[in-house]
Amino acid sequence: KICVIGSLNMDLVVNVDDMPKVGQTVMGANFKKIPGGKGANQAVAMARLGGSVNIVGSVGDDEFGESLVESLEKDKINTDFIKKNKNVPTGVALITVNKYGNNSIVVAPGANYNLIANDIDKSIDAINNSDMVVTQLEIPIETVRYLLEIAKTIGKYTILNPAPATKLSDEIIKNVDLLTPNETELEILSGIKINNEDDVVFAGKELIKKGVKELIVTLGENGALYISEQKIKKYESFRVKAVDTTAAGDSFTGALAVALVQNKNIDEAIEFASKVGALTVTKEGAQSSLPYIEEVLNFKGE
Ligand code: ADP
């Protein structure tokens, strides 16, 4: 079992040719409402890949909140530990996707920022009943700190996907078993400018010195780099035609968690996660693009 503690957002998505510059208005098309939020995306990725998932999160007492919970239940995720707030709106993400499939995102966290340490205490059963705790940084940083401390105290394996990027205290870092940053996130976490793979390894090693056990740095279409005290290994990505990169990192982290909780070794886990990440970029949206296990098992790459 996996416990995901994180954000739930309604993604409001529009396609554009080119991103607007500051002060500019551009016409878009294909407005869609798609369930998202890094916590919910990772939970859904796991459930579709065969994981058994509890989610701890926070929504508003409104239409978006209701439809987010409903969509998680469709994917057979336990939503008993989602808090419903009066007078605070459900989180939303305003997403534009350009003609190259790249996105730019503004998040209004709303109820996600109402998830506090006390809610972790209230959700202790969900954590206790899981083998693994997975979290991200779209909830208050103090909640993340407290959660990781509790999880390590009771002996759970912890995965932190440090997104969106921010600096983290050593107290947080030392309670992370597996960190899954992309290059930008690694750069901000380590304070080291990254221009090439040697820089990635150097920055990763700095975080290992601070107590992270292992890192898997995702490099988009260039694959992923595994870094631990003893080992460094590069994994190539699968070649696909990218349509929309939203949720690639979420699906990758979700897939890793499922593979590791099933006791797959790190090579198998990263290969599996790379397939899942590749499949995710071939479809639009966040949860709408997350693949099911059958698709992954049938996928050989192009
Ligand atoms: P994030 O969305 O957090 O920036 P990445 O873009 O690094 O994450 O993507 C996560 C993983 O998904 C990559 O390590 C890779 O395996 C896969 N992936 C992402 N983009 C592509 C792509 N264009 N083609 C194939 N695989 C991709």
Side-chain angles (χ1 to χ4, degrees), residues 38 161 163 180-183 185 217-224 236-242 245-252 273-279 281:
K38 293 180 193 298
N161 173 231
T180 59
N182 64 18
E183 286 163 285
E185 289 148 8
V217 183
T218 63
L219 311 169
E221 64 182 348
N222 295 319
E236 295 303 325
S237 72
F238 289 86
R239 285 189 54 147
V240 290
K241 186 174 180 304
T245 58
T246 308
D250 291 336
S251 72
F252 187 93
S274 302
K275 283 186 182 176
V276 171
L279 281 166
V281 304

Side-chain angles (χ1 to χ4, degrees), residues 9-285:
N9 289 325
M10 187 57 88
D11 290 354
L12 307 174
V13 187
V14 176
N15 289 97
V16 293
D17 281 340
D18 296 298
M19 299 290 179
K21 309 266 180 311
V22 173
Q24 188 189 10
T25 301
V26 300
M27 302 308 280
N30 305 324
F31 171 66
K32 289 193 197 81
K33 279 193 305 190
I34 306 178
K38 293 180 193 298
N41 293 347
Q42 292 179 19
V44 169
M46 292 168 194
R48 292 186 184 170
L49 299 170
S52 168
V53 187
N54 285 313
I55 187 164
V56 178
S58 171
V59 295
D61 187 10
D62 52 26
E63 205 185 306
F64 285 167
E66 228 167 79
S67 96
L68 290 177
V69 170
E70 235 170 64
S71 89
L72 292 171
E73 285 171 353
K74 259 188 217 144
D75 275 306
K76 305 197 171 56
I77 291 164
N78 180 8
T79 60
D80 294 349
F81 297 93
I82 295 178
K83 170 163 100 165
K84 291 179 190 72
N85 299 266
K86 300 259 178 245
N87 307 320
V88 188
T90 295
V92 292
L94 311 178
I95 304 182
T96 41
V97 181
N98 73 8
K99 63 186 171 211
Y100 306 109
N102 296 316
N103 57 46
S104 85
I105 306 181
V106 179
V107 175
N112 292 304
Y113 272 18
N114 269 30
L115 191 73
I116 56 174
N118 184 243
D119 297 313
I120 302 302
D121 289 335
K122 286 185 190 160
S123 307
I124 199 72
D125 286 348
I127 298 169
N128 260 324
N129 293 338
S130 306
D131 309 293
M132 186 185 275
V133 164
V134 180
T135 192
Q136 318 78 25
L137 303 174
E138 282 185 334
I139 55 175
I141 200 76
E142 169 55 18
T143 308
V144 173
R145 187 203 65 75
Y146 184 73
L147 161 70
L148 291 172
E149 184 186 301
I150 296 282
K152 281 324 292 176
T153 307
I154 56 179
K156 303 297 174 185
Y157 184 82
T158 58
I159 300 182
L160 173 64
N161 173 231
T166 176
K167 267 206 149 339
L168 294 175
S169 66
D170 293 358
E171 215 194 332
I172 292 185
I173 301 230
K174 73 167 200 269
N175 285 323
V176 178
D177 289 315
L178 174 61
L179 189 73
T180 59
N182 64 18
E183 286 163 285
T184 319
E185 289 148 8
L186 179 63
E187 190 167 295
I188 291 174
L189 278 173
S190 64
I192 293 162
K193 182 97 193 90
I194 290 172
N195 296 311
N196 53 45
E197 279 174 25
D198 288 345
D199 297 339
V200 172
V201 172
F202 183 71
K205 290 269 181 188
E206 289 299 305
L207 295 173
I208 301 248
K209 280 186 203 152
K210 292 187 170 176
V212 175
K213 308 282 175 308
E214 300 173 293
L215 288 94
I216 299 170
V217 183
T218 63
L219 311 169
E221 64 182 348
N222 295 319
L225 205 70
Y226 171 88
I227 305 167
S228 71
E229 180 108 53
Q230 301 82 13
K231 196 174 116 182
I232 294 158
K233 189 166 172 186
K234 174 77 192 291
Y235 296 81
E236 295 303 325
S237 72
F238 289 86
R239 285 189 54 147
V240 290
K241 186 174 180 304
V243 174
D244 174 3
T245 58
T246 308
D250 291 336
S251 72
F252 187 93
T253 291
L256 271 180
V258 169
L260 293 173
V261 92
Q262 293 171 349
N263 289 319
K264 300 236 165 67
N265 68 37
I266 202 76
D267 285 338
E268 292 167 327
I270 296 176
E271 188 186 336
F272 180 67
S274 302
K275 283 186 182 176
V276 171
L279 281 166
T280 301
V281 304
T282 63
K283 293 195 190 125
E284 269 185 19

